[in-house]
């Protein structure tokens, strides 16, 4: 453990702790806009500056590691003046009409009583502003951009898609997709990471609504188990954002982030429908539906035997629900005809794993991707079927891991 002094108080933190993380854990309100825990240290916005004994000038806490016996000051007149100056410069390039209380920049401006001036600065007049409405999910309002480059970095360092780029240099620099024309033409997978990390609303979720509450949940689209927070207003899901976890590390794919509107689709069936003797479907209550189903299953079992009935479980149900399904089949119906989709899609890997290891289950964690020197993909396409894991594999290859693909497709 490292012993450090923060504003006169002594704290202990594990080795390898980022100075910003230590300050936040110590309860210090350190403003920062360019930092994201999912990204490499950057130190661009200079809002998280602190004074450290032995350093000739303030240091960026988001890009400084803690060392033994470090003495830090976070609240001095000089630091307050620096923070206010930096925020004022950012406000000079922020449209007054773009104030969004849900975004970090605008919360900081409000906290410090700084008013956005609108895009009337000379530097902003020289800078092109990218405009695009091609994406059905991501909205673009680049007049709000403060050049923290979090969108560029998260697309490169997490998703590995390299969609966002910095065009030109100096006062003329601006953010735009790699083809310079549109998101949809630049290979965007609509994972939503750039909108999730943007501190100003320059990139935002088109379909998102301001939620009244957040609920932690697990994505049910594939077997990765990504953690997410579901934002709802009233009785409707309005937005989804990634949650930090060991599985997805604060990242989602397009399905986890945006594929929730079926919840409230007008043609979604929300009540049981019953059709008898080839007639039309009619709505019935749950009691009537269960009574009819139980009666028909009993009749079929009596006339044709229990093995004339099969029960299919679901890979998207919980283990407990599938346990009940097989118990219902074997104990209530008296049949061993129980199956699920995993027997089809997982059969080759389950057979191979059971032969080699004794059980058809994975033996590695996703974290092993980062330390593996060679990755072998056999008959799998994680970038399409399990995109969050696919992104981690792509990043491992970028760092030097060897990738071998065995697949019937070219």
């Amino acid at each position: 453990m490292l012993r450090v002094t923060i504003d006169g108080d002594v704290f202990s933190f594990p080795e390898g702790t980022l100075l910003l993380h230590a300050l936040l854990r110590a309860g210090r309100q350190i403003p920062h806009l360019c930092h994201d825990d999912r990204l490499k240290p950057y130190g661009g916005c200079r809002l998280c500056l602190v004074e450290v004994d032995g350093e000739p000038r303030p240091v960026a806490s988001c890009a400084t590691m803690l060392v033994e016996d470090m003495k830090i000051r976070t609240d001095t007149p000089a630091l307050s003046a620096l923070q206010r100056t930096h925020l004022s410069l950012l406000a000079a390039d922020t449209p007054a009409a773009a104030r969004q209380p849900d975004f970090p920049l605008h919360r900081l401006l409000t906290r410090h009583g700084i008013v956005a001036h609108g895009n009337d600065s000379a530097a902003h007049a020289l800078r092109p502003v990218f405009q695009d409405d091609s994406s059905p999910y991501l909205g673009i309002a680049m007049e709000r951009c403060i050049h923290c480059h979090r969108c560029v970095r998260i697309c490169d360092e997490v998703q590995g898609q390299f969609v966002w780029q910095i065009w030109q240099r100096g006062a003329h620099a601006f953010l735009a997709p790699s083809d310079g024309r549109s998101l949809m033409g630049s290979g965007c997978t609509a994972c939503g990471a750039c909108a999730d990390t943007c501190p100003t609303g320059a990139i935002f979720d088109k379909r998102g609504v301001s939620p009244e509450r957040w609920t932690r949940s697990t994505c049910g689209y594939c077997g990765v188990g990504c953690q997410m927070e579901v934002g709802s207003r009233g009785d409707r899901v309005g937005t989804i954002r990634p949650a930090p976890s060991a599985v997805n590390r604060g990242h989602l794919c397009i399905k986890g982030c945006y594929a929730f509107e079926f919840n409230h689709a007008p043609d979604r069936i929300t009540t049981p429908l019953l059709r008898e003797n080839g007639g039309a479907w009619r709505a019935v209550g749950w009691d009537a539906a269960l009574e009819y189903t139980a009666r028909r299953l009993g009749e079929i079992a009596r006339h044709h035997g229990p093995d004339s009935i099969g029960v299919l479980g679901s890979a998207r149900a919980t283990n407990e629900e599938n346990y009940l399904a097989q118990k219902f089949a074997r104990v209530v119906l008296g049949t061993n005809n129980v199956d699920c989709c995993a027997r089809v899609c997982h059969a080759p890997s389950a057979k191979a794993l059971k032969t080699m290891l004794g059980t058809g289950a994975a033996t590695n964690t996703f974290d092993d991707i980062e330390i593996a020197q060679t990755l072998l993909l056999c008959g799998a396409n994680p970038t399409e079927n399990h995109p969050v894991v696919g992104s981690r594999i792509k990043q491992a290859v970028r760092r030097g891991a060897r990738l071998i693909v065995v697949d019937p497709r070219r």
Side-chain angles (χ1 to χ4, degrees), residues 224 226 247 251 366 369 382-383 386-394:
V224 172
C226 294
V247 175
H251 188 40
F366 289 139
I369 294 172
T383 52
H386 307 92
V388 170
V389 172
S391 296
R392 292 180 69 169
I393 292 173
K394 287 195 292 183

Side-chain angles (χ1 to χ4, degrees), residues 9-342:
D9 299 323
V10 178
F11 297 87
S12 295
F13 298 99
E15 292 189 24
T17 299
L18 193 66
L19 176 53
L20 177 61
H21 291 164
L23 296 173
L24 294 175
R25 291 173 196 166
R28 302 308 190 267
Q29 297 295 320
I30 305 298
H32 55 280
L33 290 174
C34 70
H35 178 75
D36 187 316
D37 286 341
R38 295 167 289 186
L39 306 176
K40 298 174 184 175
Y42 189 64
C45 72
R46 315 305 288 176
L47 286 174
C48 67
L49 295 176
V50 295
E51 295 176 356
V52 177
D53 280 5
E55 295 291 339
R57 56 182 60 86
V59 301
S61 59
C62 73
T64 304
M65 301 304 296
L66 217 59
V67 297
E68 176 67 22
D69 201 30
M70 182 180 274
K71 293 180 174 57
I72 308 124
R73 292 175 297 278
T74 67
D75 188 12
T76 67
L79 289 175
S80 297
L82 274 174
Q83 291 172 358
R84 189 169 181 82
T85 297
H86 291 162
L87 280 172
S88 298
L89 291 172
L90 294 176
D93 273 353
T94 300
R99 294 294 289 269
Q100 302 286 333
D102 292 337
F103 291 100
L105 170 64
H106 310 295
R107 290 199 297 267
L108 284 174
L109 293 179
T110 300
R111 185 193 306 169
H112 288 80
I114 298 174
V115 178
H117 303 303
N119 301 127
D120 54 3
S121 68
H124 195 278
L126 298 173
R127 186 183 303 150
V129 177
F130 173 73
Q131 296 178 334
D132 178 36
D133 195 39
S134 64
S135 172
Y137 306 109
L138 298 172
I140 307 298
M142 279 300 168
E143 66 276 7
R144 305 173 184 171
C145 178
I146 60 170
H147 284 257
C148 65
H149 300 159
R150 281 167 64 167
C151 57
V152 178
R153 292 182 288 139
I154 205 164
C155 194
D156 292 358
E157 297 174 20
V158 176
Q159 175 61 26
Q161 209 66 19
F162 306 96
V163 171
W164 289 105
Q165 290 188 9
I166 307 165
W167 291 73
Q168 301 188 30
R169 290 292 180 268
H172 300 274
F174 66 99
L175 274 291
S178 56
D179 71 348
R181 294 188 297 273
S182 73
L183 276 175
M184 300 308 290
S186 298
C188 176
T189 63
C191 70
C194 55
D196 181 63
T197 196
C198 180
T200 68
I203 307 172
F204 59 93
D205 182 354
K206 273 185 178 180
R207 302 186 178 191
V209 298
S210 181
E212 295 174 330
R213 61 187 177 276
W214 292 97
T215 304
R216 183 71 173 252
S217 187
T218 302
C219 182
Y221 274 106
C222 76
V224 172
C226 294
Q227 296 297 290
M228 59 190 190
E229 293 181 339
V230 180
S232 56
R233 174 172 286 275
D235 61 349
R236 296 176 67 92
V237 173
T239 187
I240 291 178
R241 67 187 183 190
S245 76
V247 175
N248 57 314
R249 296 181 173 180
H251 188 40
L252 288 176
C253 72
I254 182 174
K255 293 179 288 185
C257 202
Y258 297 114
F260 59 84
E261 292 182 336
F262 67 89
N263 280 300
H264 314 295
D267 58 345
R268 182 178 181 181
I269 298 173
T270 57
T271 187
L273 300 178
L274 179 62
R275 181 168 63 185
E276 297 179 281
N277 302 320
W281 290 104
R282 61 183 177 90
V284 297
W286 286 102
D287 289 341
L290 289 170
E291 189 279 330
Y292 175 83
T293 302
R295 177 167 54 82
R296 286 294 294 130
L297 285 173
E299 292 172 355
I300 293 170
R302 286 192 298 273
H303 286 89
H304 304 284
D307 283 341
S308 62
I309 301 172
V311 175
L312 291 176
S314 171
R316 284 178 170 76
T318 65
N319 289 337
E320 292 78 10
E321 289 165 337
N322 279 315
Y323 174 82
L324 290 175
Q326 64 87 25
K327 208 69 172 176
F328 171 75
R330 293 185 168 98
V331 176
V332 179
L333 298 177
T335 179
N336 289 323
N337 294 337
V338 183
D339 207 347
C340 75
C341 64

Side-chain angles (χ1 to χ4, degrees), residues 223 315-316 339-351 378-380 385-386:
R316 284 178 170 76
D339 207 347
C340 75
C341 64
R343 184 185 63 81
V344 180
C345 64
H346 186 39
S349 54
K351 171 64 175 174
C378 184
N385 298 325
H386 307 92

